[in-house]
Amino acid sequence: MKLVRYGDVGHEKPGLMDGDTLRDLSAHIDDIHGATLGDGTLDKLRNIDLATLPAIDGSPRIGPCVGNVGKFLCIGLNYSDHAAEQGLPIPEHPILFFKANSAIVGPNDDVVMPRGSKRTDWEVELGAVIGKTCKYVSKDDALDYVAGYCIVNDVSEREFQQNLTGQWTKGKSCDTFGPTGPYLVTRDELGDPQALDMTLSVNGKRMQTGNTATMIFSVAEIIEHLSHLFTLHPGDVISTGTPPGVGDGMNPKTYLKVGDVMELEIAGLGTQRQEVKQDA
């Protein structure tokens, strides 16, 4: 299934895609969030006769594909060629940082650079959304705890990240710096998360081209590692790293400016499009 949240900011409704038709799920669940991502609920949704669900006319705003996210966890330097372009060694263990949940926006909402931004950058990433409580799991069982997958743009302000002293979180958590969606594609529909082509373009120019097969730590390995540090809860989002081609790795370094348009795609997970604005 491709689950979708649609509607105005803060008032999104649950839906799913029936081919190219968006259908409303409000009669069956109140939202797409941790409490509705368990296997039992997802199985019930799979058994619904889609023709009985109301079709949504027009082109409503698409919101983040998961609501009420508990933790927004991110893995840094998880592609060997990205680590190389940054001039950094391959990590021995997954590098963990957090994005503030207030960064989360819909897949086509504007990205707004904060005051003082000098080096705002792009990062296409595969997101994995936890579907059931996860503690001390092995990599062999880890994917059974995933409800589904989505696209995340891990927008990053490199000046804040690198030069404000402290955690990467400072440069990762600005408002609108976490476009998520459009779909939450359930794990049964997506299949192997380690074989997905991914791209990001700015103003129509390809910047990032990669495949999740080149991750240093697979989704399963990441979940195993994190679940041995703390409990993962339904609705937690894990953004699993970005391939090469970020602006900070270019020569000369290249960053976003007002009016730029980012377009992202991961095979099977849809597309995102964001226009860059400046905070007042």
Side-chain angles (χ1 to χ4, degrees):
M1 292 183 294
K2 291 184 174 70
L3 300 174
V4 183
R5 298 173 71 246
Y6 69 96
D8 295 337
V9 176
H11 300 280
E12 291 91 349
K13 297 180 179 180
L16 59 71
M17 298 305 300
D18 177 11
D20 293 329
T21 301
L22 173 60
R23 295 189 180 273
D24 182 57
L25 279 174
S26 298
H28 298 272
I29 54 174
D30 65 330
D31 200 352
I32 299 166
H33 53 53
T36 57
L37 290 177
D39 288 342
T41 299
L42 295 180
D43 285 342
K44 290 179 181 178
L45 297 181
R46 289 186 187 95
N47 290 324
I48 295 173
D49 179 358
L50 299 186
T52 66
L53 298 174
I56 306 303
D57 295 328
S59 300
R61 169 186 173 269
I62 302 300
C65 60
V66 183
N68 298 324
V69 172
K71 296 188 286 293
F72 197 171
L73 305 155
C74 302
I75 306 300
L77 298 177
N78 196 30
Y79 288 73
S80 56
D81 37 10
H82 174 54
E85 76 174 350
Q86 296 291 82
L88 296 169
I90 292 175
E92 183 179 354
H93 305 286
I95 295 174
L96 173 65
F97 63 92
F98 287 74
K99 287 177 90 82
N101 292 358
S102 54
I104 298 172
V105 292
N108 304 313
D109 292 342
D110 292 337
V111 164
V112 181
M113 296 188 298
R115 294 179 185 178
S117 172
K118 300 177 181 179
R119 300 163 59 199
T120 297
D121 205 348
W122 54 82
E123 293 190 11
V124 60
E125 305 202 359
L126 172 67
V129 180
I130 298 299
K132 58 183 178 181
T133 302
C134 180
K135 180 72 169 176
Y136 297 129
V137 302
S138 71
K139 65 181 180 181
D140 293 336
D141 298 326
L143 297 187
D144 293 340
Y145 291 81
V146 175
Y149 301 90
C150 61
I151 303 173
V152 174
N153 188 353
D154 177 22
V155 185
S156 307
E157 214 301 331
R158 304 299 187 187
E159 186 72 16
F160 296 0
Q161 177 185 352
Q162 298 168 6
N163 297 328
L164 287 189
T165 308
Q167 300 289 329
W168 289 2
T169 298
K170 289 183 178 181
K172 299 286 191 169
S173 293
C174 305
D175 294 347
T176 75
F177 273 25
T180 304
Y183 313 127
L184 177 62
V185 180
T186 53
R187 67 177 188 271
D188 59 306
E189 177 160 334
L190 185 70
D192 183 6
Q194 303 305 150
L196 305 176
D197 289 330
M198 53 202 310
T199 63
L200 183 147
S201 298
V202 178
N203 302 329
K205 181 180 179 181
R206 177 71 61 82
M207 298 298 187
Q208 290 186 274
T209 302
N211 188 287
T212 57
T214 65
M215 283 183 181
I216 298 168
F217 304 103
S218 68
V219 176
E221 290 169 330
I222 291 167
I223 292 172
E224 177 186 57
H225 181 74
L226 297 182
S227 76
H228 281 69
L229 303 175
F230 45 76
T231 302
L232 298 172
H233 294 284
D236 287 350
V237 177
I238 304 170
S239 197
T240 58
T242 198
V246 300
D248 201 55
M250 294 182 175
N251 187 14
K253 295 180 184 295
T254 302
Y255 302 108
L256 293 166
K257 60 186 184 299
V258 173
D260 283 348
V261 174
M262 293 178 282
E263 295 175 292
L264 296 74
E265 182 172 6
I266 297 181
L269 298 179
T271 61
Q272 293 187 356
R273 182 185 186 278
Q274 300 107 29
E275 184 174 348
V276 178
K277 301 290 181 66
Q278 177 68 58
D279 206 356

